[in-house]
Amino acid sequence: ALFVPLALEGGPPAALLLVSRDPSAFRPAELRVAAGLASHLAAALHATQLHDRLEKAFDELHRTQEQLVRSERLRVAGELASGIAHEFNNVLAAILGRVQLLRLRAREAALSPHELEDAFGVMELAARDGAETVRRLRQFGKDEVADAAESVDLDAVIREAAEFTRPRWKNAAEGGGVHIEVSLESSPGAWVRGNAAQLREVFTNLILNAVDALPRGGNLCLGTGAQDGSVTAIVEDDGVGMTPETLQRVFEPFFTTKGVQGTGLGLSMVYGIVQRHGGKLAVRSHPGRGTRIELSFPRSTAAQPPAPPEASAPVGSLSVMVVDDEPAVRGLLVDILEALGHRAIGYGSSESALEDFQPGRFDLVLTDLGMPGINGWELSQSLRAKDDSVTIAFVTGWGEEVDAERARRAGADAVVAKPFGIEDLARVAQLAADRTRRRAA
Ligand code: ADP
Ligand code: MG
């Protein structure tokens, strides 16, 4: 017998065993062949072992990667949640601050129509930005949907952000005996392609950071500039400034030097938004001297002026049924419709609405979808069965998710998404008036 050990690195012991009945077997030439065979065998076995190990390593890698992706998703979701909370706080602060200010001024009987109009403008914009935030939140987890891009005037965006934050730099600061001088150096033609609400968020954050950096007051300079291919914006304060260590970390999510007062998310969100807009961002800061943040974006062309609204026939006074179990929404719908010159009756449930409904009595029905008892879908179907000429519209917080085809099958003619504006209700009223007129003709 010939026993040839196979040299296998790190593997189990192995050998090649050759047996012969011939006593003169295994001559030197045959020994050489056997040794050669053994070394080839060893190499082949080694290769299979390596292959197995490689496959295992791949599997392992794959599993780890999946775990990483999962934890990254969780991290992003967590960040998103606090980011949203952060944005809502800005929006709510803008609205709350304005409302309280208005009440104060009204008590002093010092309210001018101009001031009122301004404050309403800010509150309306803030609420719309909040709605945009909700829309973006809904989009999270779905396939990346491109954010609506439009031509945005950076100058207007900065002006609006300054208005938004006025309660913080004006009232709160002056309440504490601190004066912050805000100046705006604007240049026309600072057009950027992107999303106005997100860009407003950028400057709101930068201004709030500057205000935080001015605990004893000082100057906050805002500015825009338009060059050939690019647009720049500057937010500069002469506040406390940053140490080089802080400066290095400002864009890290959750990095804050403000303790529980800060979220550390402002600048990381700013960074993300600026990147999505193809922009760049540079920060210069010196402790005790202040901070200058410069942003630049590719320049875009001016927005097309909106087409003049199509002249439509006057609507006249409609009879409207409003069904919503939420008293605040129901009351608002009734008030807006009456302000638009219609007669509206509110119902707190589908049941009470059905009881009161008679064919021909109403031109328009506005109904919520999710209600205890008979829901909006079922209500619409029942009403449609009784009266096929009434206009029915769903008013819902699920606006984008409501399938138009399904709504049509349930008898509805239109879907109004919450939060709705007066113009949305005017549009539905127009629709109802047109239908009523067509029927009469
Ligand atoms: P937060 O404002 O919640 O702390 P940010 O991401 O907006 O989170 O800012 C991170 C940190 O960057 C701040 O805590 C602060 O230390 C520093 N910082 C940002 N802007 C300025 C500024 N204008 N002046 C001084 N420090 C700033
Ligand atoms: Mg901040």
Side-chain angles (χ1 to χ4, degrees):
L2 176 64
F3 185 86
V4 190
L6 300 181
L8 278 183
E9 244 175 86
L16 175 66
L17 179 64
L18 298 166
V19 183
S20 174
R21 289 175 201 273
D22 179 1
S24 61
F26 310 127
R27 282 185 292 264
E30 284 169 343
L31 282 184
R32 272 199 300 281
V33 172
L37 186 62
S39 89
H40 278 115
L41 261 178
L45 282 172
H46 191 58
T48 2
Q49 270 172 10
L50 277 185
H51 184 75
D52 282 356
R53 252 186 281 163
L54 203 61
E55 234 163 36
K56 256 192 224 125
F58 262 134
D59 282 352
E60 185 73 10
L61 201 66
H62 200 70
R63 262 199 306 279
T64 333
Q65 196 186 26
E66 266 171 10
Q67 251 162 21
L68 266 178
V69 169
R70 236 190 331 268
S71 62
E72 173 69 11
R73 276 212 192 110
L74 276 179
R75 193 182 63 78
V76 172
E79 261 174 44
L80 191 89
S82 11
I84 296 287
H86 189 263
E87 283 180 38
F88 269 119
N89 274 340
N90 288 348
V91 163
L92 292 175
I95 297 175
L96 184 64
R98 286 292 159 167
V99 167
Q100 292 184 324
L101 202 64
L102 284 182
R103 177 174 281 159
L104 202 75
R105 303 274 295 156
R107 267 197 210 126
E108 293 166 353
L111 213 51
S112 72
H114 179 69
E115 195 180 344
L116 206 57
E117 185 61 35
D118 269 2
F120 286 148
V122 172
M123 288 194 277
E124 190 177 352
L125 205 56
R128 286 191 196 280
D129 278 1
E132 163 71 20
T133 304
V134 173
R135 194 192 61 78
R136 252 194 302 145
L137 185 63
R138 285 245 184 87
Q139 230 89 79
F140 180 74
K142 295 185 187 165
D143 287 335
E144 194 78 14
V145 178
D147 287 307
E150 49 187 342
S151 270
V152 181
D153 181 3
L154 215 52
D155 211 58
V157 163
I158 294 190
R159 220 182 285 276
E160 286 154 1
E163 272 309 300
F164 247 63
T165 49
R166 182 186 289 272
R168 275 291 309 282
W169 52 260
K170 181 99 182 142
N171 314 100
E174 282 176 3
V178 164
H179 182 69
I180 296 178
E181 181 72 37
V182 178
S183 61
L184 174 66
E185 207 169 290
S186 59
S187 46
W191 291 96
V192 166
R193 187 139 194 87
N195 180 293
Q198 291 187 17
L199 290 168
R200 235 175 348 253
E201 179 67 18
V202 164
F203 291 99
T204 303
N205 274 302
L206 295 179
I207 294 171
L208 290 178
N209 278 347
V211 172
D212 287 339
L214 292 164
R216 283 188 297 278
N219 295 293
L220 168 55
C221 304
L222 308 168
T224 52
Q227 293 82 39
D228 260 355
S230 69
V231 167
T232 48
I234 286 165
V235 178
E236 187 170 14
D237 66 73
D238 56 1
V240 296
M242 293 180 242
T243 61
E245 294 74 44
T246 300
L247 190 55
Q248 254 183 8
R249 301 188 57 193
V250 284
F251 295 118
E252 279 177 27
F254 305 112
F255 173 79
T256 178
T257 55
K258 298 171 192 168
V260 289
Q261 305 285 328
T263 61
L265 285 167
L267 285 183
S268 59
M269 283 195 317
V270 164
Y271 186 83
I273 295 174
V274 170
Q275 272 211 323
R276 277 201 295 283
H277 282 78
K280 288 199 202 68
L281 199 149
V283 188
R284 269 194 294 162
S285 187
H286 296 282
R289 298 231 307 268
T291 302
R292 177 188 166 94
I293 299 189
E294 186 172 334
L295 300 96
S296 68
F297 298 94
R299 189 171 175 184
S300 155
T301 47
Q304 298 291 321
E310 269 175 50
S312 43
V315 172
S317 180
L318 301 175
S319 168
V320 189
M321 167 179 258
V322 172
V323 190
D324 199 313
D325 58 323
E326 190 68 53
V329 178
R330 187 171 68 235
L332 181 62
L333 283 168
V334 168
D335 287 352
I336 292 180
L337 287 163
E338 290 191 335
L340 289 173
H342 306 297
R343 285 157 287 126
I345 308 176
Y347 298 86
S349 71
S350 297
E351 286 79 354
S352 59
L354 275 170
E355 214 165 276
D356 236 24
F357 187 85
Q358 277 147 22
R361 177 160 174 214
F362 295 99
D363 303 298
L364 171 64
V365 174
L366 292 173
T367 176
D368 186 20
L369 281 182
M371 289 181 284
I374 302 175
N375 67 31
W377 298 97
E378 294 156 355
L379 173 66
S380 172
Q381 260 162 352
S382 311
L383 295 182
R384 182 53 78 216
K386 293 185 190 194
D387 181 344
D388 66 15
S389 59
V390 66
T391 300
I392 303 177
F394 291 153
V395 181
T396 170
W398 307 103
E400 282 155 37
E401 269 103 298
V402 172
D403 180 36
E405 177 53 24
R406 185 174 164 216
R408 204 188 53 73
R409 262 184 284 126
D413 304 288
V415 177
V416 177
K418 287 179 192 167
F420 47 80
I422 294 184
E423 67 284 1
D424 299 317
L425 298 180
R427 200 159 16 93
V428 188
Q430 181 73 54
L431 187 75
D434 289 347
R435 277 176 68 122
T436 308
R437 203 170 309 115
R438 232 175 295 135
R439 205 171 55 238

